[in-house]
Amino acid sequence: MSDTRIEPRPENKMGVMPVNRLLISMSIPMMISMLVQALYNIVDSMFVAQLSENALTAVSLAFPAQNLMIAVATGTGVGVNALLSKSLGEKNFERANKTADNAVFLAFCSYAVFAVLGVFFSRIFFEVQTADMALTDPVNREEIVRQGTDYLVICTVLSFGLFFQITAERLLQSTGKTFYTMITQSIGAIINIIFDPVFIFGLFGFPRMETAGAAAATVMGQIIAAVLAILFNRFKNKEITISFRKFRPEGRIIRNIYLVGVPSIILAAIGSVMTFILNKILIVFSSTAAAVFGVYFKLQSFVFMPVFGLNNGMVPIIAYNFGARNPDRITKTIKLSVMYATGIMIAGFLVFQIFPGLLLGIFNASARMLEIGRPALRIISFSFLLAGFSVITTSVLQAFSHGFLSLSISAIRQLIVILPVAYLLSLSGNINLIWLAFPIAELVSFILCVIYMRLVFRREIRPMREGIPAPGTPAAGR
């Protein structure tokens, strides 16, 4: 008889490392890479603002479409992350590998859809948002539509870098290898920052591309980051194996991915709808008001991105320990995440309150933009004080496969509160009142998050503490 032995797989650090050290080690690389991402978002608009305020407005109006692409990519990634981490926690390595294969397939399908939409609907997208300028300011409207269309077509047609980058990074995150995602995101962002002025202004013999140059630098960074992330999965991620030999899309895996992912996609897509409609409300006042709103989104990303990085480190820990039935590690992870997120948001609040003029000056703000922007940043930033808890809560809900609860929070906050309140306040004719919709909506979101978290603890964590087996296990059926 041959003495063949199967080497046991090493215990995953998400089940054994001290929670605080684990959360920090998982999150810090993601927070750094997210900060770099936020930096290049700001630098992108900073260079575009040097062209003209119309160019800045065009890029700002493109944000809902770009956000929708990111929503689909990251939302699918959330589903992949949760299913893959849970599979590893349950030692189901075959399902983990199939999840990775189907994730890559879904990334390609998503890219194909947005490439087609970008070719045929980019100009219409800008014409609809600027319809109110057709009679009052047709010259500036045409410039905004032209520059916006040039920018968005490139971002969508070459978006394969975005989709494959995010998918490959989620696979690395699912197995705890966030250091490599820090490298891929940082390199992609640095490439964008370097080539932004080169392509926008036509430096070093390159043609002057203006807003189209900003898009070209963006997709170049995404494509290079995607290649790096794929290589890291191939050579460094030994816990999963991606193989397309005899591959066929597997409905059960895809369904489980989107059971968590679709609510996350819709959650983020709701943000695109909110931004699109709010741009239409603001542009009635002036295109400068829409530019201020776009600038706010760029600036707030510098506050929110580290919290999202914290989320990306937190979700695999919760999903893994949910699969391993370890409630103490789950609760400690949640408490620490809320504490860190709240601290980050308070710091952001103070910066927005004390330095709004300096922040707007980064974007070559005119006197009119400063007049609108200073009170806007101060008023909206009051929502930061509660937002840290809400952001963490929505991700916890997704990690426990309660994606539709997190969806309801976002839908109520952005569609049922922000938009109606903003519209009603706009009827006053005072643009400063419109910004109050954000802190009002955040208060409603906070109340819902408290209610839902109590529900999750009662339904998911308490049964684990009481030793009740997970649904679907043999012991659970006795």
Side-chain angles (χ1 to χ4, degrees), residues 243-249:
S243 175
F244 289 101
R245 294 181 62 186
K246 301 180 181 178
F247 169 77
R248 284 207 181 10

Side-chain angles (χ1 to χ4, degrees), residues 119-139:
V119 169
F120 292 104
F121 296 103
S122 288
R123 184 174 180 85
I124 295 171
F125 178 79
F126 287 95
E127 288 177 340
V128 170
Q129 285 190 93
T130 59
D132 290 307
M133 297 177 65
L135 295 177
T136 59
D137 198 357
V139 175

Side-chain angles (χ1 to χ4, degrees), residues 272-289:
S272 295
V273 174
M274 182 274 291
T275 307
F276 182 89
I277 296 175
L278 200 52
N279 277 334
K280 287 187 65 64
I281 293 172
L282 291 170
I283 214 160
V284 171
F285 288 84
S286 70
S287 61
T288 302

